[in-house]
Amino acid sequence: MATESEEIDRYISREYEHGFVTDIEQDTFPPGLDESVVRAISAKKNEPEFMLEWRLEAFKIWQQMDVPEWAHVHYPDIDFNSISYFSSPKADSDKPQSLADVDPELLETYEKLGIPLHERAALAGVAVDAVFDSVSVATTFKDKLAEVGVIFCPLSEAVHDHPELVKKYLGSVVPLADNFYSALNAAVFSDGSFVYIPKGVRCPMELSTYFRINALNTGQFERTLIIADEGSHVSYLEGCTAPMRDENQLHAAVVELVAMDDAQIKYSTVQNWYPGDKDGKGGIYNFVTKRGDCRGERSKISWTQVETGSAITWKYPSVVLTGDNSVGEFYSVALTNNYQQADTGSKMVHIGKNSRSTIISKGISAGKAENAYRGLVKMLRGANGARNYTQCDSLLIGSQCGAHTFPYVEVQEPTAQVEHEATTSKIGDDQLFYCRQRGIAEEEAVSMIVNGFCKEVFTELPMEFAVEVQRLLGVSLEGSVG
Amino acid sequence: MLIVKDLKVEVEGKSILKGLTMEVGAGEVHAIMGPNGSGKSTLSHVLSGREGYEVVGGSITLDGEDLLALSPEERAWKGLFLGFQYPVAIPGLNSSVFMREAVNAQRRSRGENEYDAMDFLAIAREKMKLLKMDESFMTRAVNDGFSGGEKKRNEIYQMALLEPRLAILDEIDSGLDIDALRVVSDGINKLRSADRSLIMVTHYQRLLDYVVPDYVHVLSGGEIVRSGGRELALELESSGYGWLEKEPAAV
């Protein structure tokens, strides 16, 4: 009879189910990065002068910076000159105007991923701005959003149609010099989503974007900017998968959120990029900067993320609580398996009086994976009565994985309160046996135990995402747990 | 129905069961008693297929089928139930979701239709009444934060839902006060039937005042050293287990 750990190994060693490559002719720059590449990207997108200048400045800053090495992750040095910095599906000028115009092969790709764009859009009432590689290929429900004045479009369009908003807010949350990867992103970002919710408007639908990385050796540099003006509400969903491949791929996205007085932004992510094979070969390098600024009083920003993919994840969705009585939240599930490495967590920077933040982090490690929580809670002087509650729980599956917690707390304000709780547990043979004795097969049992562990985070996800998360977690557990 | 023949079990090279033989017929209630370390829990775990026990000799069959060849879940599908001495908590996993999946997994294995949420709720309510359980129990996580009494009641509730053909109750009486013991015993008695066999593993005979067994076996040093009727348990109560050490070979 196989031992429990052998059975776990068997589940762990299953193949990634979403691996395949779509054969679409690419219009791709040769590898390498210098000023001319930055200029070429800007030219390719017919950008106004201010954007080119912004990119060039970012590039200059980036050249002065060093690759950050403080994270608890290990990987060979990246040769930034071996990466191609632009790729788009053919016929850029001839982008599909509706789903009917979309390349059937692309639609098929979405189908394989279980993202039936048209059905999902129609059934769930979700506006979808699908980013395929670097250029947006389908945008829906635009009219309905336009009725209430919501702007939801590719960032590349926004620089033309709403330059005043872009100028005002782009880089205002994550400045050019913030970090190595965000500076790189600013110099070469391909595209992304732009959202503006006018004063007092409740966005009538969930907004979602599906990202796919599909061009061989092409780093993808998404940039998203969401602005919620006074008293507005918006919920934004982001989900991604990527095809199987051997080469490591760099992904360095930047997301900026701005919430004005009484505005609320809920940003939810499901990330399921190719994690590499069971020997640790291939997989996406995911170095992301996500930050929200609760600029206004009583504003609120919530990050919810379910991270199951990527070979390396380096990601700390953060909230700067500038406004008095503002609220920041971070709910995270990060699942790593095989040789996956994740160094993820959140930063909450309290500036406003009575600002409050909550961090709930659930890390799950299986196989030989390493999962680190790294969080910073900072209470600046003057943040009277500010409060933070942090809870990080780690779940280990098998005996070869690791969980680490690096909580940093900086308190300059004597009236502020900071609470931190951390637990580490192991899916016990006891729990598995209990489930199996009741007739629940091992794989299903692990899935139920892990789902239970993540429950506090899952309940924060919008309903529209619940099904997808179940599916993604199920797939990841099949391929990653036992 | 259940036939255990000359069962020899080792744990990490150490011999725990040294040739245990017993037979349980349909509808019979057997009590297995014995001092700590006699191998009582090992027997429960080996019958239910827990890892970590090496069967080095003998056989176990359920209705003629080799039980040792089956995984724990397959044994459950055949109608084997283990009431745990220490029920395991699963934080965040809703009790009703858990039990519905368990019941449906067993129904699937028999080619029966699964219960939907409403069907299951109706059945669950009925079984909860049997154990005098509060409805709020359904929304709690499996055994998480349960008192000792609640955990044991929950085990019998699960047994009621799963309707096993053979239930092994491992020290179901441990950690119960007299009121809780009465509720749990009442539940067990209501679940007794002509086609359901019970094996009650217990250290104390107290439980047997409430759930009266047909047969009592005394386990000592990895073997059944005495078998008898109800009266054997009473004898043990008055004389304790001390005599076992003086007459280890008694049969």
Side-chain angles (χ1 to χ4, degrees), chain B residues 20-52:
Chain B
L20 186 146
T21 296
M22 70 181 290
E23 198 166 320
V24 178
E28 293 176 0
V29 176
H30 290 242
I32 295 183
M33 304 185 67
N36 292 327
S38 59
K40 299 194 301 287
S41 283
T42 297
L43 178 62
S44 306
H45 288 152
V46 171
L47 286 173
S48 52
R50 178 148 207 173
E51 301 289 337

Side-chain angles (χ1 to χ4, degrees), chain A residues 314-337:
Chain A
W314 183 98
K315 179 178 173 185
Y316 316 91
S318 310
V319 183
V320 181
L321 295 134
T322 312
D324 291 349
N325 300 298
S326 57
V327 176
E329 294 174 338
F330 174 73
Y331 299 97
S332 170
V333 167
L335 190 153
T336 50
N337 181 32

Side-chain angles (χ1 to χ4, degrees), chain A residues 1-4 7 429-431 433-442 444-445 448-449 451-453 455, chain B residues 48 50-51 68 72-73 76-77 80-82 84 88-92 98 101-102 105-106 143 155 158 162:
Chain A
M1 197 183 289
T3 66
E4 212 106 278
E7 283 173 34
D429 290 348
D430 283 354
Q431 287 177 329
F433 179 65
Y434 192 71
C435 295
R436 296 178 72 189
Q437 206 300 308
R438 297 301 183 247
I440 300 169
E442 187 167 30
E444 178 66 19
M448 292 178 93
I449 294 167
N451 268 292
F453 175 75
K455 195 180 175 191
Chain B
S48 52
R50 178 148 207 173
E51 301 289 337
L68 293 171
E73 54 268 38
W77 301 340
L80 186 148
F81 176 89
L82 173 64
F84 283 65
V88 182
I90 308 178
F98 173 71
E101 178 52 33
Q106 300 207 11
N143 291 319
E155 292 296 290
Q158 296 187 4
L162 293 168

